[in-house]
Amino acid sequence: MSPLVISTLLFISFASSSLVRSAKYSVLSYGAKPDGKTDSTKAFAAAWSQACASTKPATLYVPKGIFSLSQVIFQGPCKNNAILVSVAGSLVAPSDYGLIGGAKNWLVFEHVNGVTLSGGTLDGQGAGLWSCKKSGKSCPSGATSLEFSNSNNIVITGLTSLNSQMFHIVINACQNVKVKGVRVSAAGNSPNTDGIHVSSSTSVTILNSRIGTGDDCVSIGPGTSNLWIENVACGPGHGISIGSLGQDVQEAGVQNVTVKTTTFTGTENGVRIKSWGRPSNGFARNILFQHAVMNNVQNPIIIDQNYCPGNKNCPGQASGVQISDVTYQDIHGSSAKEIAVKFDCSKKYPCTGIKLEDINLTYQNQPAEASCTNARGAASGLVQPTSCL
Ligand SMILES: *[C@@H]1O[C@H](CO)[C@@H](O)[C@H](O)[C@H]1NC(C)=O
Ligand SMILES: *[C@@H]1O[C@H](CO)[C@@H](O)[C@H](O)[C@H]1NC(C)=O
């Protein structure tokens, strides 16, 4: 045979074997019921353990319908590194928050590699826990709806997350994660319902997503590097926030974060960096906020290094967190408060290398104001409010 024929035959056998080789596991085969009532937790766990034990690429399939689930741990490591979790239906948490509210999370993937979670709606049914928290009674802190931890090469695409008890999506201690086309929705006054929280992770990308919630749309915790956020709409919510940093004395820093092409509507903050006012060796450096539109945002551009809720364990102390090389480029729109640009930096470690370029923020159709404390840097291009650097 000619080399061409041989390579064509090899290609055909490779292509067909890879089709045959992908194993499919439907949760229905393990007893899950799409009726919105039957607890399908065990069925999901059983289907996952088969997909995870497969030595070939595997698909875990969740068809249309409503599946009632308490905590599911999608535990790795697995025997293959190509698992597609394809969800057509809705996964619903118990309406009694007592059942999972004391657990850290509801649906959690741990120590997995090469998992794609595609589609689906997660409903955390958090409203009961939110009202408990707002009543001042003692309540569990609540479960994060979806967490990936200690995992690599993850894709989350086309997912909708509604009404989580606590955070909606957490990426912790992961490498190479792509989050795309995600929608998060919870009431604007729901406590601690951050949209996407990233911490201790490298090379995370968040694209084309729409987040409305009661806390930060995206929050970026210690130990995050090479994070890229692009084309995200935020509101209601507390904005896109690096922090809180400096809660601990020994803490990993945040570096190389790009937040690009974002829209904030009616939010408490736009782009924020926040640290506790107390000693820490943490830092935030090489941060770029570019192309943001602010619609009636209370603090469009803010660095707050004096975070000290309830004035407990930190009054009067300077933040140890060192903030440097932060660029704000092409940010315009309206501020809901007179001060649209606020840099309130540490008196011990002033912010350095702050750059403002092409900023136009108005308050009631007039130029807004800027306020600087312990902040150093430069402005270029049109900068309105007039820079205080
Ligand atoms: C910064 O992060 C981006 C991804 O967000 C990456 O492509 C780039 O290489 C990183 N730069 C450095 C200096 O690590
Ligand atoms: C700033 O934005 C306002 C509102 O969009 C606009 O009226 C004003 O002309 C802009 N200023 C400059 C100098 O471009």
Side-chain angles (χ1 to χ4, degrees):
M1 276 188 280
S2 77
L4 179 67
V5 172
I6 290 174
S7 66
T8 306
L9 284 174
L10 279 174
F11 173 75
I12 290 170
S13 76
F14 173 77
S16 57
S17 71
S18 71
L19 276 179
V20 174
R21 285 175 59 228
S22 171
K24 192 164 170 177
Y25 304 90
S26 166
V27 293
L28 297 183
S29 311
Y30 296 84
K33 294 271 182 294
D35 60 7
K37 296 196 298 271
T38 312
D39 182 355
S40 294
T41 306
K42 287 208 172 94
F44 273 63
W48 167 260
S49 66
Q50 292 300 303
C52 183
S54 167
T55 53
K56 317 165 200 166
T59 299
L60 175 66
Y61 180 60
V62 180
K64 280 199 179 139
I66 302 175
F67 296 88
S68 176
L69 296 176
S70 62
Q71 189 189 48
V72 185
I73 301 176
F74 298 88
Q75 187 73 52
C78 295
K79 295 245 163 67
N80 74 85
N81 55 15
I83 300 185
L84 170 64
V85 181
S86 172
V87 185
S90 295
L91 315 185
V92 178
S95 58
D96 174 2
Y97 61 77
L99 293 176
I100 58 163
K104 245 186 84 209
N105 30 51
W106 173 35
L107 308 171
V108 53
F109 290 81
E110 273 174 5
H111 299 283
V112 297
N113 182 16
V115 169
T116 295
L117 172 58
S118 174
T121 298
L122 312 181
D123 184 349
Q125 302 223 71
L129 182 60
W130 307 339
S131 36
C132 176
K133 286 183 175 178
K134 283 188 262 183
S135 74
K137 280 189 285 198
S138 101
C139 337
S141 54
T144 284
S145 280
L146 173 67
E147 175 163 342
F148 279 84
S149 78
N150 294 288
S151 295
N152 300 333
N153 307 313
I154 302 303
V155 176
I156 302 172
T157 178
L159 175 85
T160 297
S161 180
L162 308 173
N163 302 330
S164 60
Q165 293 184 348
M166 265 283 283
F167 296 176
H168 285 84
I169 298 171
V170 168
I171 313 289
N172 180 51
C174 292
Q175 277 185 43
N176 192 25
V177 179
K178 293 197 168 56
V179 180
K180 332 182 258 203
V182 160
R183 193 169 77 89
V184 170
S185 176
N189 62 355
S190 55
N192 315 118
T193 53
D194 294 38
I196 302 174
H197 178 73
V198 181
S199 59
S200 304
S201 294
T202 303
S203 301
V204 176
T205 306
I206 300 171
L207 299 178
N208 308 342
S209 294
R210 189 172 260 290
I211 301 170
T213 189
D215 207 309
D216 295 334
C217 287
V218 181
S219 54
I220 299 154
T224 302
S225 60
N226 301 1
L227 170 64
W228 188 279
I229 298 174
E230 184 169 355
N231 193 22
V232 169
C234 169
H238 294 183
I240 293 181
S241 192
I242 297 177
S244 306
L245 305 180
Q247 179 161 19
D248 298 323
V249 175
Q250 295 292 328
E251 193 180 270
V254 171
Q255 58 189 325
N256 188 18
V257 175
T258 298
V259 178
K260 183 173 171 172
T261 316
T262 47
T263 306
F264 298 87
T265 304
T267 51
E268 196 174 286
N269 308 287
V271 292
R272 172 167 66 162
I273 303 175
K274 173 180 168 193
S275 78
W276 288 75
R278 59 190 199 201
S280 173
N281 67 347
F283 60 84
R285 62 167 86 111
N286 297 331
I287 316 290
L288 172 63
F289 297 111
Q290 191 182 47
H291 311 314
V293 177
M294 304 287 169
N295 300 312
N296 203 32
V297 171
Q298 289 178 46
N299 303 291
I301 294 178
I302 180 166
I303 297 179
D304 172 11
Q305 291 210 262
N306 288 300
Y307 180 62
C308 188
N311 275 325
K312 271 204 219 134
N313 303 326
C314 40
Q317 295 189 60
S319 177
V321 173
Q322 302 189 37
I323 297 177
S324 59
D325 298 312
V326 184
T327 300
Y328 300 87
Q329 211 172 52
D330 181 28
I331 298 182
H332 59 95
S334 57
S335 174
K337 288 190 183 165
E338 197 151 11
I339 297 181
V341 177
K342 183 172 181 180
F343 299 128
D344 183 8
C345 295
S346 167
K347 62 176 185 272
K348 191 148 183 229
Y349 299 103
C351 299
T352 59
I354 307 289
K355 290 188 200 70
L356 289 168
E357 235 178 273
D358 300 319
I359 310 291
N360 182 6
L361 292 164
T362 57
Y363 169 66
Q364 296 183 343
N365 298 319
Q366 304 293 316
E369 284 180 23
S371 149
C372 291
T373 311
N374 307 314
R376 315 215 165 119
S380 62
L382 164 78
V383 173
Q384 218 174 124
T386 307
S387 168
C388 54
L389 291 165

